[in-house]
Structures are given as C-alpha cells and as structure tokens.
PDB file of all heavy atoms in Angstrom:
ATOM      1  N   MET A   1      11.714  10.471 -13.525  1.00 98.00           N
ATOM      2  CA  MET A   1      11.179  10.555 -14.932  1.00 98.00           C
ATOM      3  C   MET A   1      11.810  11.794 -15.608  1.00 98.00           C
ATOM      4  O   MET A   1      11.644  12.860 -15.112  1.00 98.00           O
ATOM      5  CB  MET A   1       9.695  10.718 -14.872  1.00 98.00           C
ATOM      6  CG  MET A   1       8.885   9.476 -14.074  1.00 98.00           C
ATOM      7  SD  MET A   1       7.224   9.604 -14.183  1.00 98.00           S
ATOM      8  CE  MET A   1       6.818  11.121 -13.234  1.00 98.00           C
ATOM      9  N   ASN A   2      12.594  11.540 -16.585  1.00 98.00           N
ATOM     10  CA  ASN A   2      13.292  12.605 -17.311  1.00 98.00           C
ATOM     11  C   ASN A   2      12.751  12.631 -18.779  1.00 98.00           C
ATOM     12  O   ASN A   2      12.138  11.671 -19.275  1.00 98.00           O
ATOM     13  CB  ASN A   2      14.707  12.265 -17.496  1.00 98.00           C
ATOM     14  CG  ASN A   2      15.367  12.226 -16.023  1.00 98.00           C
ATOM     15  OD1 ASN A   2      15.043  12.995 -15.150  1.00 98.00           O
ATOM     16  ND2 ASN A   2      16.431  11.369 -15.827  1.00 98.00           N
ATOM     17  N   ASN A   3      12.989  13.813 -19.420  1.00 98.00           N
ATOM     18  CA  ASN A   3      12.451  13.986 -20.752  1.00 98.00           C
ATOM     19  C   ASN A   3      11.041  13.476 -20.875  1.00 98.00           C
ATOM     20  O   ASN A   3      10.678  12.813 -21.857  1.00 98.00           O
ATOM     21  CB  ASN A   3      13.359  13.241 -21.748  1.00 98.00           C
ATOM     22  CG  ASN A   3      13.124  13.633 -23.178  1.00 98.00           C
ATOM     23  OD1 ASN A   3      12.530  14.722 -23.410  1.00 98.00           O
ATOM     24  ND2 ASN A   3      13.630  12.798 -24.154  1.00 98.00           N
ATOM     25  N   LEU A   4      10.118  14.113 -20.043  1.00 98.00           N
ATOM     26  CA  LEU A   4       8.767  13.660 -20.097  1.00 98.00           C
ATOM     27  C   LEU A   4       8.080  14.078 -21.376  1.00 98.00           C
ATOM     28  O   LEU A   4       8.327  15.232 -21.829  1.00 98.00           O
ATOM     29  CB  LEU A   4       8.022  14.156 -18.901  1.00 98.00           C
ATOM     30  CG  LEU A   4       8.293  13.495 -17.564  1.00 98.00           C
ATOM     31  CD1 LEU A   4       8.042  14.281 -16.358  1.00 98.00           C
ATOM     32  CD2 LEU A   4       7.497  12.128 -17.515  1.00 98.00           C
ATOM     33  N   LYS A   5       7.291  13.299 -21.827  1.00 97.00           N
ATOM     34  CA  LYS A   5       6.485  13.626 -23.102  1.00 97.00           C
ATOM     35  C   LYS A   5       5.032  13.682 -22.739  1.00 97.00           C
ATOM     36  O   LYS A   5       4.641  13.474 -21.659  1.00 97.00           O
ATOM     37  CB  LYS A   5       6.608  12.327 -24.064  1.00 97.00           C
ATOM     38  CG  LYS A   5       8.073  12.103 -24.464  1.00 97.00           C
ATOM     39  CD  LYS A   5       8.307  10.929 -25.343  1.00 97.00           C
ATOM     40  CE  LYS A   5       9.716  10.693 -25.724  1.00 97.00           C
ATOM     41  NZ  LYS A   5      10.421  11.634 -26.185  1.00 97.00           N
ATOM     42  N   LEU A   6       4.242  14.346 -23.611  1.00 96.00           N
ATOM     43  CA  LEU A   6       2.858  14.616 -23.450  1.00 96.00           C
ATOM     44  C   LEU A   6       2.151  13.424 -23.025  1.00 96.00           C
ATOM     45  O   LEU A   6       1.197  13.500 -22.202  1.00 96.00           O
ATOM     46  CB  LEU A   6       2.270  15.286 -24.629  1.00 96.00           C
ATOM     47  CG  LEU A   6       2.759  16.712 -25.094  1.00 96.00           C
ATOM     48  CD1 LEU A   6       2.202  17.142 -26.286  1.00 96.00           C
ATOM     49  CD2 LEU A   6       2.267  17.754 -23.927  1.00 96.00           C
ATOM     50  N   ASP A   7       2.498  12.315 -23.629  1.00 95.00           N
ATOM     51  CA  ASP A   7       1.709  11.147 -23.362  1.00 95.00           C
ATOM     52  C   ASP A   7       2.005  10.423 -21.984  1.00 95.00           C
ATOM     53  O   ASP A   7       1.502   9.351 -21.715  1.00 95.00           O
ATOM     54  CB  ASP A   7       1.959  10.018 -24.456  1.00 95.00           C
ATOM     55  CG  ASP A   7       3.355   9.520 -24.678  1.00 95.00           C
ATOM     56  OD1 ASP A   7       4.097   9.963 -23.861  1.00 95.00           O
ATOM     57  OD2 ASP A   7       3.648   8.727 -25.626  1.00 95.00           O
ATOM     58  N   ALA A   8       2.909  11.019 -21.322  1.00 97.00           N
ATOM     59  CA  ALA A   8       3.137  10.560 -19.881  1.00 97.00           C
ATOM     60  C   ALA A   8       2.101  11.110 -18.944  1.00 97.00           C
ATOM     61  O   ALA A   8       2.109  10.786 -17.788  1.00 97.00           O
ATOM     62  CB  ALA A   8       4.500  11.036 -19.399  1.00 97.00           C
ATOM     63  N   THR A   9       1.249  11.983 -19.486  1.00 97.00           N
ATOM     64  CA  THR A   9       0.230  12.582 -18.603  1.00 97.00           C
ATOM     65  C   THR A   9      -0.659  11.380 -18.110  1.00 97.00           C
ATOM     66  O   THR A   9      -1.281  10.657 -18.890  1.00 97.00           O
ATOM     67  CB  THR A   9      -0.694  13.641 -19.422  1.00 97.00           C
ATOM     68  OG1 THR A   9       0.170  14.695 -19.679  1.00 97.00           O
ATOM     69  CG2 THR A   9      -1.906  14.005 -18.556  1.00 97.00           C
ATOM     70  N   ALA A  10      -0.846  11.268 -16.687  1.00 98.00           N
ATOM     71  CA  ALA A  10      -1.554  10.142 -16.067  1.00 98.00           C
ATOM     72  C   ALA A  10      -1.525  10.187 -14.613  1.00 98.00           C
ATOM     73  O   ALA A  10      -0.890  11.180 -14.100  1.00 98.00           O
ATOM     74  CB  ALA A  10      -0.832   8.786 -16.559  1.00 98.00           C
ATOM     75  N   VAL A  11      -2.233   9.397 -14.084  1.00 98.00           N
ATOM     76  CA  VAL A  11      -2.271   9.283 -12.555  1.00 98.00           C
ATOM     77  C   VAL A  11      -1.250   8.054 -12.413  1.00 98.00           C
ATOM     78  O   VAL A  11      -1.471   6.987 -12.961  1.00 98.00           O
ATOM     79  CB  VAL A  11      -3.652   8.928 -11.874  1.00 98.00           C
ATOM     80  CG1 VAL A  11      -3.545   8.689 -10.510  1.00 98.00           C
ATOM     81  CG2 VAL A  11      -4.450  10.124 -12.099  1.00 98.00           C
ATOM     82  N   TYR A  12      -0.373   8.285 -11.631  1.00 98.00           N
ATOM     83  CA  TYR A  12       0.658   7.270 -11.294  1.00 98.00           C
ATOM     84  C   TYR A  12       0.521   6.575  -9.921  1.00 98.00           C
ATOM     85  O   TYR A  12       0.167   7.258  -8.910  1.00 98.00           O
ATOM     86  CB  TYR A  12       2.136   7.813 -11.376  1.00 98.00           C
ATOM     87  CG  TYR A  12       2.591   8.148 -12.732  1.00 98.00           C
ATOM     88  CD1 TYR A  12       1.976   9.181 -13.538  1.00 98.00           C
ATOM     89  CD2 TYR A  12       3.548   7.364 -13.342  1.00 98.00           C
ATOM     90  CE1 TYR A  12       2.313   9.467 -14.839  1.00 98.00           C
ATOM     91  CE2 TYR A  12       3.937   7.679 -14.727  1.00 98.00           C
ATOM     92  CZ  TYR A  12       3.394   8.661 -15.356  1.00 98.00           C
ATOM     93  OH  TYR A  12       3.735   8.964 -16.660  1.00 98.00           O
ATOM     94  N   TYR A  13       0.677   5.209  -9.902  1.00 97.00           N
ATOM     95  CA  TYR A  13       0.392   4.461  -8.712  1.00 97.00           C
ATOM     96  C   TYR A  13       1.564   3.643  -8.472  1.00 97.00           C
ATOM     97  O   TYR A  13       2.215   3.081  -9.365  1.00 97.00           O
ATOM     98  CB  TYR A  13      -0.737   3.539  -8.810  1.00 97.00           C
ATOM     99  CG  TYR A  13      -2.070   4.229  -9.205  1.00 97.00           C
ATOM    100  CD1 TYR A  13      -2.399   4.427 -10.602  1.00 97.00           C
ATOM    101  CD2 TYR A  13      -3.018   4.577  -8.212  1.00 97.00           C
ATOM    102  CE1 TYR A  13      -3.637   4.987 -10.904  1.00 97.00           C
ATOM    103  CE2 TYR A  13      -4.258   5.095  -8.637  1.00 97.00           C
ATOM    104  CZ  TYR A  13      -4.560   5.496  -9.857  1.00 97.00           C
ATOM    105  OH  TYR A  13      -5.798   5.997 -10.192  1.00 97.00           O
ATOM    106  N   CYS A  14       1.982   3.432  -7.122  1.00 97.00           N
ATOM    107  CA  CYS A  14       2.946   2.401  -6.755  1.00 97.00           C
ATOM    108  C   CYS A  14       2.128   1.290  -6.076  1.00 97.00           C
ATOM    109  O   CYS A  14       1.169   1.547  -5.473  1.00 97.00           O
ATOM    110  CB  CYS A  14       3.871   2.931  -5.822  1.00 97.00           C
ATOM    111  SG  CYS A  14       3.542   3.595  -4.319  1.00 97.00           S
ATOM    112  N   ALA A  15       2.717   0.097  -6.206  1.00 97.00           N
ATOM    113  CA  ALA A  15       2.146  -1.084  -5.652  1.00 97.00           C
ATOM    114  C   ALA A  15       3.076  -2.126  -5.159  1.00 97.00           C
ATOM    115  O   ALA A  15       4.186  -2.183  -5.845  1.00 97.00           O
ATOM    116  CB  ALA A  15       1.113  -1.738  -6.605  1.00 97.00           C
ATOM    117  N   ALA A  16       2.871  -2.627  -4.124  1.00 96.00           N
ATOM    118  CA  ALA A  16       3.839  -3.682  -3.462  1.00 96.00           C
ATOM    119  C   ALA A  16       3.432  -5.017  -3.610  1.00 96.00           C
ATOM    120  O   ALA A  16       2.205  -5.319  -3.528  1.00 96.00           O
ATOM    121  CB  ALA A  16       4.047  -3.328  -2.018  1.00 96.00           C
ATOM    122  N   SER A  17       4.358  -5.945  -3.884  1.00 96.00           N
ATOM    123  CA  SER A  17       3.951  -7.264  -4.116  1.00 96.00           C
ATOM    124  C   SER A  17       5.213  -8.188  -3.532  1.00 96.00           C
ATOM    125  O   SER A  17       6.321  -7.722  -3.635  1.00 96.00           O
ATOM    126  CB  SER A  17       3.782  -7.725  -5.551  1.00 96.00           C
ATOM    127  OG  SER A  17       4.814  -7.342  -6.435  1.00 96.00           O
ATOM    128  N   ARG A  18       4.921  -9.377  -3.146  1.00 95.00           N
ATOM    129  CA  ARG A  18       5.954 -10.254  -2.725  1.00 95.00           C
ATOM    130  C   ARG A  18       6.808 -10.757  -3.894  1.00 95.00           C
ATOM    131  O   ARG A  18       7.964 -10.960  -3.709  1.00 95.00           O
ATOM    132  CB  ARG A  18       5.239 -11.521  -1.982  1.00 95.00           C
ATOM    133  CG  ARG A  18       4.837 -11.208  -0.611  1.00 95.00           C
ATOM    134  CD  ARG A  18       5.939 -11.132   0.349  1.00 95.00           C
ATOM    135  NE  ARG A  18       5.490 -11.112   1.695  1.00 95.00           N
ATOM    136  CZ  ARG A  18       6.270 -11.035   2.807  1.00 95.00           C
ATOM    137  NH1 ARG A  18       7.619 -11.089   2.604  1.00 95.00           N
ATOM    138  NH2 ARG A  18       5.881 -11.026   4.033  1.00 95.00           N
ATOM    139  N   SER A  19       6.195 -10.931  -4.977  1.00 95.00           N
ATOM    140  CA  SER A  19       6.981 -11.384  -6.141  1.00 95.00           C
ATOM    141  C   SER A  19       7.326 -10.242  -7.089  1.00 95.00           C
ATOM    142  O   SER A  19       6.652  -9.138  -7.024  1.00 95.00           O
ATOM    143  CB  SER A  19       6.075 -12.360  -6.975  1.00 95.00           C
ATOM    144  OG  SER A  19       5.795 -13.425  -6.268  1.00 95.00           O
ATOM    145  N   PHE A  20       8.453 -10.363  -7.803  1.00 96.00           N
ATOM    146  CA  PHE A  20       8.774  -9.397  -8.765  1.00 96.00           C
ATOM    147  C   PHE A  20       8.145  -9.672 -10.149  1.00 96.00           C
ATOM    148  O   PHE A  20       8.301 -10.681 -10.553  1.00 96.00           O
ATOM    149  CB  PHE A  20      10.323  -9.342  -8.893  1.00 96.00           C
ATOM    150  CG  PHE A  20      10.844  -8.464 -10.024  1.00 96.00           C
ATOM    151  CD1 PHE A  20      10.751  -7.112  -9.991  1.00 96.00           C
ATOM    152  CD2 PHE A  20      11.664  -9.079 -10.968  1.00 96.00           C
ATOM    153  CE1 PHE A  20      11.174  -6.345 -10.993  1.00 96.00           C
ATOM    154  CE2 PHE A  20      12.187  -8.320 -12.067  1.00 96.00           C
ATOM    155  CZ  PHE A  20      11.964  -6.910 -12.006  1.00 96.00           C
ATOM    156  N   TRP A  21       7.552  -8.547 -10.641  1.00 94.00           N
ATOM    157  CA  TRP A  21       6.764  -8.741 -11.918  1.00 94.00           C
ATOM    158  C   TRP A  21       7.279  -7.822 -12.892  1.00 94.00           C
ATOM    159  O   TRP A  21       7.696  -6.668 -12.623  1.00 94.00           O
ATOM    160  CB  TRP A  21       5.280  -8.404 -11.679  1.00 94.00           C
ATOM    161  CG  TRP A  21       4.479  -9.306 -10.777  1.00 94.00           C
ATOM    162  CD1 TRP A  21       4.282  -9.291  -9.455  1.00 94.00           C
ATOM    163  CD2 TRP A  21       3.928 -10.560 -11.123  1.00 94.00           C
ATOM    164  NE1 TRP A  21       3.614 -10.246  -9.010  1.00 94.00           N
ATOM    165  CE2 TRP A  21       3.229 -11.113 -10.072  1.00 94.00           C
ATOM    166  CE3 TRP A  21       3.757 -11.229 -12.493  1.00 94.00           C
ATOM    167  CZ2 TRP A  21       2.527 -12.383 -10.171  1.00 94.00           C
ATOM    168  CZ3 TRP A  21       3.039 -12.366 -12.568  1.00 94.00           C
ATOM    169  CH2 TRP A  21       2.472 -12.940 -11.417  1.00 94.00           C
ATOM    170  N   ALA A  22       7.547  -8.395 -14.149  1.00 94.00           N
ATOM    171  CA  ALA A  22       7.739  -7.374 -15.271  1.00 94.00           C
ATOM    172  C   ALA A  22       6.536  -6.760 -15.493  1.00 94.00           C
ATOM    173  O   ALA A  22       5.507  -7.065 -15.149  1.00 94.00           O
ATOM    174  CB  ALA A  22       8.107  -8.537 -16.504  1.00 94.00           C
ATOM    175  N   VAL A  23       6.726  -5.526 -16.182  1.00 93.00           N
ATOM    176  CA  VAL A  23       5.524  -4.696 -16.359  1.00 93.00           C
ATOM    177  C   VAL A  23       4.716  -5.041 -17.628  1.00 93.00           C
ATOM    178  O   VAL A  23       3.647  -4.531 -17.807  1.00 93.00           O
ATOM    179  CB  VAL A  23       5.913  -3.287 -16.440  1.00 93.00           C
ATOM    180  CG1 VAL A  23       6.509  -2.796 -15.186  1.00 93.00           C
ATOM    181  CG2 VAL A  23       6.878  -2.961 -17.568  1.00 93.00           C
ATOM    182  N   ARG A  24       5.423  -5.876 -18.465  1.00 87.00           N
ATOM    183  CA  ARG A  24       4.595  -6.408 -19.669  1.00 87.00           C
ATOM    184  C   ARG A  24       4.930  -7.963 -19.848  1.00 87.00           C
ATOM    185  O   ARG A  24       6.043  -8.201 -19.687  1.00 87.00           O
ATOM    186  CB  ARG A  24       4.895  -5.703 -20.883  1.00 87.00           C
ATOM    187  CG  ARG A  24       4.613  -4.205 -20.927  1.00 87.00           C
ATOM    188  CD  ARG A  24       4.610  -3.629 -22.258  1.00 87.00           C
ATOM    189  NE  ARG A  24       3.386  -3.989 -23.124  1.00 87.00           N
ATOM    190  CZ  ARG A  24       3.167  -3.782 -24.353  1.00 87.00           C
ATOM    191  NH1 ARG A  24       4.012  -2.945 -24.928  1.00 87.00           N
ATOM    192  NH2 ARG A  24       2.126  -4.221 -24.971  1.00 87.00           N
ATOM    193  N   PRO A  25       3.915  -8.721 -19.897  1.00 86.00           N
ATOM    194  CA  PRO A  25       2.501  -8.384 -20.013  1.00 86.00           C
ATOM    195  C   PRO A  25       2.134  -7.794 -18.603  1.00 86.00           C
ATOM    196  O   PRO A  25       2.765  -8.027 -17.604  1.00 86.00           O
ATOM    197  CB  PRO A  25       1.813  -9.739 -20.342  1.00 86.00           C
ATOM    198  CG  PRO A  25       2.762 -10.790 -19.818  1.00 86.00           C
ATOM    199  CD  PRO A  25       4.215 -10.174 -20.027  1.00 86.00           C
ATOM    200  N   SER A  26       0.946  -7.228 -18.617  1.00 85.00           N
ATOM    201  CA  SER A  26       0.538  -6.549 -17.359  1.00 85.00           C
ATOM    202  C   SER A  26       0.359  -7.537 -16.311  1.00 85.00           C
ATOM    203  O   SER A  26      -0.260  -8.529 -16.380  1.00 85.00           O
ATOM    204  CB  SER A  26      -0.802  -5.836 -17.706  1.00 85.00           C
ATOM    205  OG  SER A  26      -1.221  -5.031 -16.565  1.00 85.00           O
ATOM    206  N   PRO A  27       0.931  -7.215 -15.121  1.00 89.00           N
ATOM    207  CA  PRO A  27       0.914  -8.221 -14.034  1.00 89.00           C
ATOM    208  C   PRO A  27      -0.457  -8.270 -13.375  1.00 89.00           C
ATOM    209  O   PRO A  27      -1.231  -7.310 -13.451  1.00 89.00           O
ATOM    210  CB  PRO A  27       1.844  -7.750 -12.987  1.00 89.00           C
ATOM    211  CG  PRO A  27       2.032  -6.223 -13.323  1.00 89.00           C
ATOM    212  CD  PRO A  27       1.809  -6.142 -14.786  1.00 89.00           C
ATOM    213  N   PRO A  28      -0.865  -9.398 -12.895  1.00 89.00           N
ATOM    214  CA  PRO A  28      -2.296  -9.599 -12.223  1.00 89.00           C
ATOM    215  C   PRO A  28      -2.476  -8.605 -11.115  1.00 89.00           C
ATOM    216  O   PRO A  28      -1.624  -8.666 -10.185  1.00 89.00           O
ATOM    217  CB  PRO A  28      -2.310 -11.042 -11.867  1.00 89.00           C
ATOM    218  CG  PRO A  28      -0.838 -11.442 -11.756  1.00 89.00           C
ATOM    219  CD  PRO A  28      -0.112 -10.656 -12.756  1.00 89.00           C
ATOM    220  N   VAL A  29      -3.315  -7.816 -11.045  1.00 86.00           N
ATOM    221  CA  VAL A  29      -3.604  -6.904 -10.044  1.00 86.00           C
ATOM    222  C   VAL A  29      -3.719  -7.519  -8.646  1.00 86.00           C
ATOM    223  O   VAL A  29      -3.514  -6.877  -7.662  1.00 86.00           O
ATOM    224  CB  VAL A  29      -4.680  -5.886 -10.329  1.00 86.00           C
ATOM    225  CG1 VAL A  29      -4.324  -4.949 -11.521  1.00 86.00           C
ATOM    226  CG2 VAL A  29      -6.003  -6.613 -10.447  1.00 86.00           C
ATOM    227  N   ASN A  30      -4.342  -8.711  -8.527  1.00 91.00           N
ATOM    228  CA  ASN A  30      -4.534  -9.343  -7.282  1.00 91.00           C
ATOM    229  C   ASN A  30      -3.255  -9.843  -6.721  1.00 91.00           C
ATOM    230  O   ASN A  30      -3.257 -10.438  -5.556  1.00 91.00           O
ATOM    231  CB  ASN A  30      -5.575 -10.444  -7.360  1.00 91.00           C
ATOM    232  CG  ASN A  30      -5.217 -11.472  -8.387  1.00 91.00           C
ATOM    233  OD1 ASN A  30      -4.122 -11.540  -8.865  1.00 91.00           O
ATOM    234  ND2 ASN A  30      -6.047 -12.556  -8.643  1.00 91.00           N
ATOM    235  N   SER A  31      -2.070  -9.712  -7.287  1.00 93.00           N
ATOM    236  CA  SER A  31      -0.846 -10.104  -6.703  1.00 93.00           C
ATOM    237  C   SER A  31      -0.232  -8.995  -5.902  1.00 93.00           C
ATOM    238  O   SER A  31       0.773  -9.304  -5.260  1.00 93.00           O
ATOM    239  CB  SER A  31       0.112 -10.392  -7.916  1.00 93.00           C
ATOM    240  OG  SER A  31      -0.326 -11.551  -8.590  1.00 93.00           O
ATOM    241  N   PHE A  32      -0.793  -7.904  -5.848  1.00 94.00           N
ATOM    242  CA  PHE A  32      -0.207  -6.782  -5.130  1.00 94.00           C
ATOM    243  C   PHE A  32      -0.850  -6.661  -3.693  1.00 94.00           C
ATOM    244  O   PHE A  32      -2.152  -6.514  -3.605  1.00 94.00           O
ATOM    245  CB  PHE A  32      -0.494  -5.444  -6.005  1.00 94.00           C
ATOM    246  CG  PHE A  32       0.438  -5.567  -7.148  1.00 94.00           C
ATOM    247  CD1 PHE A  32      -0.123  -6.136  -8.461  1.00 94.00           C
ATOM    248  CD2 PHE A  32       1.770  -5.094  -7.097  1.00 94.00           C
ATOM    249  CE1 PHE A  32       0.732  -6.173  -9.471  1.00 94.00           C
ATOM    250  CE2 PHE A  32       2.593  -5.162  -8.363  1.00 94.00           C
ATOM    251  CZ  PHE A  32       2.078  -5.752  -9.431  1.00 94.00           C
ATOM    252  N   HIS A  33      -0.023  -6.420  -2.786  1.00 89.00           N
ATOM    253  CA  HIS A  33      -0.383  -6.440  -1.400  1.00 89.00           C
ATOM    254  C   HIS A  33      -1.013  -5.184  -1.033  1.00 89.00           C
ATOM    255  O   HIS A  33      -1.871  -4.972  -0.255  1.00 89.00           O
ATOM    256  CB  HIS A  33       0.954  -6.678  -0.626  1.00 89.00           C
ATOM    257  CG  HIS A  33       0.911  -6.308   0.855  1.00 89.00           C
ATOM    258  ND1 HIS A  33       1.022  -5.185   1.346  1.00 89.00           N
ATOM    259  CD2 HIS A  33       0.638  -7.268   1.837  1.00 89.00           C
ATOM    260  CE1 HIS A  33       0.957  -5.190   2.707  1.00 89.00           C
ATOM    261  NE2 HIS A  33       0.677  -6.385   3.042  1.00 89.00           N
ATOM    262  N   SER A  34      -0.477  -3.988  -1.559  1.00 93.00           N
ATOM    263  CA  SER A  34      -0.909  -2.731  -1.136  1.00 93.00           C
ATOM    264  C   SER A  34      -0.755  -1.814  -2.430  1.00 93.00           C
ATOM    265  O   SER A  34       0.167  -1.941  -3.199  1.00 93.00           O
ATOM    266  CB  SER A  34      -0.123  -1.998  -0.105  1.00 93.00           C
ATOM    267  OG  SER A  34      -0.116  -2.804   1.126  1.00 93.00           O
ATOM    268  N   TRP A  35      -1.550  -0.737  -2.455  1.00 95.00           N
ATOM    269  CA  TRP A  35      -1.585   0.232  -3.531  1.00 95.00           C
ATOM    270  C   TRP A  35      -1.554   1.658  -2.997  1.00 95.00           C
ATOM    271  O   TRP A  35      -2.214   1.870  -1.910  1.00 95.00           O
ATOM    272  CB  TRP A  35      -2.821   0.130  -4.402  1.00 95.00           C
ATOM    273  CG  TRP A  35      -2.843  -1.075  -5.240  1.00 95.00           C
ATOM    274  CD1 TRP A  35      -3.233  -2.342  -4.858  1.00 95.00           C
ATOM    275  CD2 TRP A  35      -2.503  -1.161  -6.520  1.00 95.00           C
ATOM    276  NE1 TRP A  35      -3.193  -3.242  -5.877  1.00 95.00           N
ATOM    277  CE2 TRP A  35      -2.836  -2.556  -7.023  1.00 95.00           C
ATOM    278  CE3 TRP A  35      -2.166  -0.251  -7.588  1.00 95.00           C
ATOM    279  CZ2 TRP A  35      -2.539  -2.971  -8.327  1.00 95.00           C
ATOM    280  CZ3 TRP A  35      -2.035  -0.711  -8.942  1.00 95.00           C
ATOM    281  CH2 TRP A  35      -2.227  -2.061  -9.255  1.00 95.00           C
ATOM    282  N   GLY A  36      -0.859   2.558  -3.589  1.00 96.00           N
ATOM    283  CA  GLY A  36      -0.850   3.893  -3.259  1.00 96.00           C
ATOM    284  C   GLY A  36      -2.128   4.507  -3.749  1.00 96.00           C
ATOM    285  O   GLY A  36      -2.887   3.889  -4.538  1.00 96.00           O
ATOM    286  N   GLN A  37      -2.482   5.764  -3.348  1.00 96.00           N
ATOM    287  CA  GLN A  37      -3.716   6.429  -3.747  1.00 96.00           C
ATOM    288  C   GLN A  37      -3.575   7.044  -5.082  1.00 96.00           C
ATOM    289  O   GLN A  37      -4.649   7.389  -5.764  1.00 96.00           O
ATOM    290  CB  GLN A  37      -4.065   7.544  -2.574  1.00 96.00           C
ATOM    291  CG  GLN A  37      -3.271   8.746  -2.859  1.00 96.00           C
ATOM    292  CD  GLN A  37      -1.847   8.750  -2.437  1.00 96.00           C
ATOM    293  OE1 GLN A  37      -1.372   7.782  -1.888  1.00 96.00           O
ATOM    294  NE2 GLN A  37      -1.106   9.844  -2.610  1.00 96.00           N
ATOM    295  N   GLY A  38      -2.403   7.149  -5.638  1.00 97.00           N
ATOM    296  CA  GLY A  38      -2.281   7.706  -6.981  1.00 97.00           C
ATOM    297  C   GLY A  38      -1.899   9.145  -6.874  1.00 97.00           C
ATOM    298  O   GLY A  38      -2.311   9.877  -5.970  1.00 97.00           O
TER     299      GLY A  38
END
C-alpha cells in the first residue's frame, strides 16, 4: 500500500477462496474458506 490516505484507516483482513472474486460488487462472504484475524 503506497501513498496511503486518511480514509485508508481500517482493519484489514485477508481471506482465501477456491474461486477468484472481483472486489466489486462485494463478493459473498460465505465463499471464503478461511479468514485472517485482521
């Protein structure tokens, strides 16, 4: 993440899925096998 802006303030999570999802529209959360703790 470069040139971070104030609105980037957040908790970031990674999640694994068998399928590749575009980030918009928001992918269905039940498609993800595992989630990080944030």
Side-chain angles (χ1 to χ4, degrees):
M1 305 186 294
N2 297 328
N3 191 18
L4 282 160
K5 302 182 185 300
L6 291 172
D7 62 4
T9 294
V11 177
Y12 285 73
Y13 304 85
C14 61
S17 58
R18 283 287 192 176
S19 299
F20 171 60
W21 292 94
V23 295
R24 295 196 72 178
S26 187
V29 294
N30 59 3
S31 297
F32 293 89
H33 168 274
S34 296
W35 290 80
Q37 80 286 355

